[in-house]
Amino acid sequence: MREIWPGDSYPLGATYDGAGTNFALFSEVAERVELCLFDDDGNEERVTLSEVDGFVWHCYLPGVGPGQRYGYRVHGPYSPGDGLRCNPNKLLLDPYAKAVEGSVQWDQAVYGYRFGEPDSRDDSDSAPYVPRSVVVNPFFGWGHDRPPATPYHDTVIYEAHVRGLTISHPKIPERIRGTYAALGHPEIIDHLTSLGVTAIELMPVHQFVTDHMLEKRGLSNYWGYNTIGFFAPHNAYSSSGQRGGQVLEFKAMVKALHEAGIEVILDVVYNHTAEGNHLGPTLSMRGIDNANYYRLVEDDRRYYMDTTGTGNSLLMRSPHALQLIMDSLRYWVRDMHVDGFRFDLAASLARELHEVDRLSAFFDLVQQDPVLSQVKLIAEPWDVGPGGYQVGNFPARWTEWNGRYRDTIRDLWRGEPAALPEFASRLTGSSDLYQDDSRRPAASINFVTCHDGFTLQDLVSYNDKHNEANGEDNRDGADDNRSWNCGVEGPATGPVAQLRERQKRNFLATLFLSQGVPMLSHGDEIGRTQQGNNNSYCQDNEISWVDWGTILEAGARNSTTGDDAGTREKRQLLDFTRRLARLRRDHPVFRRRRFFYGRPVRGSHDQLSDIAWLTPSGTEMTDADWTNGYAKALAVFLNGDAITEPDRRGRRISDDSFLLLFNAHHEVIKFTIPDDYGELWATELDTAMPVLSESRVCRAGEAVPVSGRSVRVLRRV
């Protein structure tokens, strides 16, 4: 006879204390709750939770420890029209489960209704077809692990997929490729540090589900934006064969990255879950307390409000949904030692009713939280609901993926007219979006590409999306890519290929020279392609994976001699990206903490403005120059002597001064070095030259040729 103690109603979830485990589950609608324990043979033991405090059902089981598989069966009303979907025949994941074993096996039994009869109730047992929650050991030898706490203005973000980045890396042991262990391997860490990366932003690692329709098409939810467990690291990314081993492996990965000075940021999906719309499966919260976790249509509560395009939205007005999210966030910071979060479709989190409210309960809770207010908080500032595009409208302390930066930089380099005024704002940190509410340039997370859309290689190789492999007749994915194929759709050689390489260098140079926080998409630095697929969410294969082979072989030889053209170009692009990272790291003028004033700064030695905008002839830009819709070239003077903010030790910063010469026109333009900003200038970077052989010195008054579609960076000497 199993010994059962009353236990405690807090904390929620399964909490092991070294002698036993406390189980606690919230459900306001439940009439009875059964805790189901499973042994190695799949046999089920049911324990009725007789204790309930404040709608939290709980017990303590002595002797139950790490590795124990469990789930819940919730007895209560089933009335879909009233938003009630309890069904004890459905085994439910604990919303607070720290680990999950197994995956969903799609069968009629995982649905609460009979197919074709959405208001009916299906009483078949789902236990054989659904994953199990797992009790984990919270103890881990963190040693002297400390968060790197890199200031935003010094941050370089690398967006990566755990599996896609590592699965084909030949220098990583095969048994750990595609896992957390691979991400913490020295080969990956060395690559990241060589790029100046200070933070890796991981695409979803919360436990997620591949939905039924994708699986029927032989595809998978590769990206992972379909969460079912907000506390559990996704089990398929673990090389460990032990139950709960993914937790220890994830922690070891974080520890290794921290030792290299790299922060870990998680892309999190708190706006919806994998249970989908009213025709979706019953896996967890739907069967526990549907109306307390999900936004339901008021006049017909069988249906779900959907501002995410995924079938449902979490009810941000519910204190229980808010508690779940806040508890999850704090767990990942305190127990898993992550350093920040990027919130998918963050506008959905701000919705109290229909409007996007920047002072919603969720943001108030985060703002006052002593743990979460101190980590990096990044918003994807849009969703698919009314008024969902909210770039520039998030609260202080938040940063944002700047979609307007992406669009503007793409427009400039593909030759769109009238792009210069917008380009000037994006290059200098988007003060028009962030300055009015006291935020700084670092509020702008600048990116040209990300997981969603074309890779950098494809951005310069395709005018149109090519998503046929997704099985949706090329209807999925964005149609507005703002891309340019340089004259040929798809793979090319000769002058077209050379122009594409220059365009990639232009995009990367602009990204690293812009004020704000640069974000690289994994593999862009070595020319990763998805063959024109701009929506690879379901492609867990070579379409999405980073191809490391030839680039690593070239690196091992430490020479491009004898490489084929493609490999040589990849190696040159990688070296160029590393040079950009060093340039940004070595010169604080490219990572200012405050916006430019546009005037001389008190205390500067030369009394020049901190920034100046110049025409190719060397004169200051006039209103007429800015409004000339056909102008595609300008020079920017950055005064390194006019950085007013002190460093972290209170010392005043000064730096070299630079002239940035941008030529988005297709022909060579000669830029005259102005007389008033310095006598001698050395070329630091030229995107027209993949390898800069020597730094030629130019003099004031000299006409410097800048190749068509290129950037040249001059440093005052």
Side-chain angles (χ1 to χ4, degrees), residues 310-451:
T310 57
N312 64 53
S313 302
L314 284 184
L315 180 62
M316 300 307 296
R317 284 179 292 141
S318 164
H320 307 290
L322 285 171
Q323 181 186 4
L324 173 74
I325 295 171
M326 297 298 289
D327 286 350
S328 168
L329 291 168
R330 279 190 292 264
Y331 171 77
W332 286 96
V333 174
R334 287 176 169 169
D335 289 61
M336 308 295 271
H337 285 208
V338 305
D339 305 282
F341 304 94
R342 179 265 191 191
F343 293 83
D344 176 64
L345 302 179
S348 284
L349 299 176
R351 291 183 184 274
E352 294 286 359
L353 293 169
H354 296 285
E355 299 298 323
V356 175
D357 178 4
R358 63 178 286 165
L359 297 178
S360 69
F362 172 71
F363 294 111
D364 289 341
L365 286 172
V366 171
Q367 186 72 18
Q368 61 79 42
D369 191 277
V371 175
L372 301 180
S373 63
Q374 301 306 305
V375 301
K376 287 183 167 65
L377 301 169
I378 304 171
E380 181 189 35
W382 48 78
D383 67 11
V384 299
Y389 193 77
Q390 292 291 314
V391 173
N393 290 333
F394 278 73
R397 301 193 67 87
W398 282 73
T399 62
E400 303 175 16
W401 269 28
N402 191 343
R404 289 181 62 178
Y405 178 93
R406 171 201 59 206
D407 294 346
T408 300
I409 304 309
R410 289 186 178 192
D411 279 348
L412 177 81
W413 289 115
R414 70 181 177 134
E416 287 295 293
L420 284 187
E422 182 93 355
F423 171 72
S425 181
R426 304 300 151 242
L427 182 75
T428 53
S430 297
S431 60
D432 57 325
L433 299 177
Y434 305 115
Q435 191 170 27
D436 288 347
D437 55 7
S438 78
R439 286 190 283 176
R440 295 185 176 184
S444 177
I445 306 298
N446 299 330
F447 65 103
V448 176
T449 61
C450 63
H451 70 273

Side-chain angles (χ1 to χ4, degrees), residues 2 172 177 193 245 248-249 282 453 484 543 554 618 620 626 650:
R2 180 178 292 278
I172 293 176
R177 292 177 194 169
T193 54
L248 297 177
E249 189 171 327
T282 297
W484 179 47
I543 289 176
E620 291 199 16
W626 286 114

Side-chain angles (χ1 to χ4, degrees), residues 277-582:
N277 64 15
H278 65 290
L279 299 177
T282 297
L283 302 173
S284 183
M285 292 182 283
R286 170 170 283 150
I288 293 170
D289 197 327
N290 187 55
N292 256 310
Y293 282 115
Y294 294 114
R295 294 184 64 193
L296 306 177
V297 176
E298 289 297 328
D299 56 358
D300 192 344
R301 293 171 66 79
R302 66 169 48 83
Y303 299 116
Y304 295 79
M305 294 290 292
D306 180 14
T307 59
T308 65
T310 57
N312 64 53
S313 302
L314 284 184
L315 180 62
M316 300 307 296
R317 284 179 292 141
S318 164
H320 307 290
L322 285 171
Q323 181 186 4
L324 173 74
I325 295 171
M326 297 298 289
D327 286 350
S328 168
L329 291 168
R330 279 190 292 264
Y331 171 77
W332 286 96
V333 174
R334 287 176 169 169
D335 289 61
M336 308 295 271
H337 285 208
V338 305
D339 305 282
F341 304 94
R342 179 265 191 191
F343 293 83
D344 176 64
L345 302 179
S348 284
L349 299 176
R351 291 183 184 274
E352 294 286 359
L353 293 169
H354 296 285
E355 299 298 323
V356 175
D357 178 4
R358 63 178 286 165
L359 297 178
S360 69
F362 172 71
F363 294 111
D364 289 341
L365 286 172
V366 171
Q367 186 72 18
Q368 61 79 42
D369 191 277
V371 175
L372 301 180
S373 63
Q374 301 306 305
V375 301
K376 287 183 167 65
L377 301 169
I378 304 171
E380 181 189 35
W382 48 78
D383 67 11
V384 299
Y389 193 77
Q390 292 291 314
V391 173
N393 290 333
F394 278 73
R397 301 193 67 87
W398 282 73
T399 62
E400 303 175 16
W401 269 28
N402 191 343
R404 289 181 62 178
Y405 178 93
R406 171 201 59 206
D407 294 346
T408 300
I409 304 309
R410 289 186 178 192
D411 279 348
L412 177 81
W413 289 115
R414 70 181 177 134
E416 287 295 293
L420 284 187
E422 182 93 355
F423 171 72
S425 181
R426 304 300 151 242
L427 182 75
T428 53
S430 297
S431 60
D432 57 325
L433 299 177
Y434 305 115
Q435 191 170 27
D436 288 347
D437 55 7
S438 78
R439 286 190 283 176
R440 295 185 176 184
S444 177
I445 306 298
N446 299 330
F447 65 103
V448 176
T449 61
C450 63
H451 70 273
D452 191 1
F454 282 147
T455 66
L456 184 60
Q457 178 68 40
D458 292 353
L459 184 66
V460 300
S461 304
Y462 296 91
N463 285 347
D464 303 304
K465 65 185 181 184
H466 297 270
N467 297 354
E468 290 80 8
N470 296 355
E472 300 179 43
D473 297 323
N474 208 34
R475 294 190 302 268
D476 62 304
D479 293 311
D480 180 22
N481 295 292
R482 302 180 188 234
S483 59
W484 179 47
N485 64 16
C486 300
V488 176
E489 188 76 355
T493 58
V496 171
Q498 294 172 10
L499 175 56
R500 289 175 178 176
E501 291 305 308
R502 190 189 316 159
Q503 286 285 77
K504 287 189 288 184
R505 293 191 291 270
N506 289 336
F507 282 120
L508 290 169
T510 306
L511 179 66
F512 277 88
L513 297 174
S514 297
Q515 304 297 323
V517 179
M519 185 183 79
L520 276 171
S521 180
H522 73 185
D524 274 354
E525 71 279 10
I526 57 173
R528 183 175 76 89
T529 178
Q530 294 178 168
Q531 291 89 51
N533 191 320
N534 75 350
N535 189 34
S536 64
Y537 76 103
C538 57
Q539 299 295 332
D540 186 5
N541 50 50
E542 288 83 357
I543 289 176
S544 297
W545 299 342
V546 176
D547 179 8
W548 292 97
T550 56
I551 190 72
L552 291 178
E553 292 167 7
R557 292 192 299 269
N558 197 28
S559 170
T560 59
T561 304
D563 293 331
D564 62 71
T567 300
R568 183 168 60 253
E569 289 167 350
K570 288 182 177 183
R571 187 68 193 174
Q572 288 174 344
L573 186 64
L574 177 58
D575 290 342
F576 183 81
T577 309
R578 289 168 172 167
R579 285 168 50 205
L580 280 170
R582 288 194 297 271

Side-chain angles (χ1 to χ4, degrees), residues 154-181:
D154 291 334
T155 296
V156 175
I157 297 175
Y158 189 84
E159 188 197 27
H161 189 282
V162 172
R163 180 169 167 83
L165 179 63
T166 64
I167 189 64
S168 63
H169 199 299
K171 293 189 177 181
I172 293 176
E174 189 170 356
R175 67 176 184 82
I176 68 168
R177 292 177 194 169
T179 70
Y180 306 119

